[in-house]
């Protein structure tokens, strides 16, 4: 296997190609990846868990395009249905390890499910996606406070949310 950092860079490049012509989704996945990596580093994730988190952050919304084509909707449940096979295919082509591919597929298939969050990688992915979505959707401060209380668990995620939105 190639150097993990290089593989992650190749994946980022592939996601630009996959989302060609959609700068909003490219910016979204890039921001989620950056938050996830930063929170993961600050939370002291081991190298393999951090790499898995980074990969999941880059492909977490891979199911949107397929959901829109098949169902005319990008609802979270549809993304969770369509995303895992697409992420498996892409990561297999790039020669990521099978165990990482399966964990990433699980995370992609659950990133809009906020109950029974299993694992620090899952928690940080959800927090990172929320940080970006709250800003992109110009969410009300009341709703942000509720999300802060209910969703954010990591010290770094709470700090980022608090400082970004003044909660």
């Amino acid at each position: 296997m190639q150097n993990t950092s290089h593989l992650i860079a190749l994946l980022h490049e592939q996601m630009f190609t996959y989302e060609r012509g959609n700068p909003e989704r490219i910016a979204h996945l890039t921001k989620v990846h950056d938050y996830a990596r930063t929170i993961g580093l600050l939370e002291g994730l081991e190298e393999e868990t951090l790499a898995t988190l980074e990969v999941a952050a880059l492909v977490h919304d891979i199911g949107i395009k397929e959901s829109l084509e098949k169902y005319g909707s990008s609802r979270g449940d549809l993304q969770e249905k369509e995303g895992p096979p697409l992420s498996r295919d892409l990561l297999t082509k790039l020669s990521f390890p099978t165990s990482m591919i399966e964990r990433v597929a699980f995370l992609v298939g659950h990133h809009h499910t906020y109950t029974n969050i299993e694992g620090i990688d899952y928690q940080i992915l959800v927090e990172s996606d929320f940080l970006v979505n709250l800003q992109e959707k110009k969410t009300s401060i009341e709703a942000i406070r509720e999300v802060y209380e209910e969703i954010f668990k990591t010290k770094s995620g709470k700090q980022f949310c608090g400082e970004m939105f003044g909660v």
Side-chain angles (χ1 to χ4, degrees):
M1 183 174 104
Q2 298 180 42
N3 172 300
T4 304
S5 294
H6 184 70
L7 272 177
I8 291 170
L10 289 173
L11 175 60
H12 206 152
E13 177 183 55
Q14 287 295 307
M15 289 305 296
F16 267 67
T17 301
Y18 182 79
E19 296 291 0
R20 186 174 193 267
N22 195 320
E24 293 84 9
R25 280 207 297 267
I26 291 170
H28 178 86
L29 71 89
T30 299
K31 289 184 281 188
V32 171
H33 171 259
D34 189 55
Y35 286 129
R37 176 173 170 69
T38 302
I39 293 170
L41 287 167
L42 291 172
E43 294 295 316
L45 266 56
E46 64 155 61
E47 190 175 326
E48 185 177 333
T49 304
L50 180 62
T52 301
L53 171 61
E54 287 190 65
V55 171
L58 288 170
V59 299
H60 76 283
D61 280 343
I62 197 169
I64 289 178
K65 188 191 301 190
E66 190 82 5
S67 296
L68 287 169
E69 289 173 11
K70 282 186 175 180
Y71 313 106
S73 172
S74 63
R75 285 191 341 244
D77 62 321
L78 299 174
Q79 292 177 44
E80 289 182 337
K81 176 182 176 184
E82 298 299 330
L86 295 168
S87 64
R88 277 189 193 97
D89 289 348
L90 178 57
L91 299 178
T92 299
K93 287 176 188 165
L94 290 172
S95 301
F96 279 90
T98 303
S99 60
M100 182 183 289
I101 292 170
E102 288 309 309
R103 180 62 179 171
V104 169
F106 172 83
L107 294 171
V108 169
H110 291 82
H111 79 280
H112 284 289
T113 302
Y114 311 126
T115 56
N116 300 317
I117 292 178
E118 302 169 8
I120 190 70
D121 51 356
Y122 187 171
Q123 180 64 43
I124 294 172
L125 178 61
V126 167
E127 290 179 7
S128 300
D129 198 24
F130 263 106
L131 286 172
V132 178
N133 284 332
L134 293 171
Q135 181 270 318
E136 288 177 349
K137 294 177 181 179
K138 301 183 184 345
T139 306
S140 72
I141 193 67
E142 295 82 18
I144 291 170
R145 282 191 187 105
E146 187 175 316
V147 168
Y148 177 87
E149 292 299 326
E150 292 180 18
I151 299 295
F152 285 82
K153 307 289 185 227
T154 68
K155 180 182 177 196
S156 304
K158 283 181 161 259
Q159 178 186 354
F160 286 5
C161 186
E163 291 178 1
M164 283 176 69
F165 302 108
V167 295

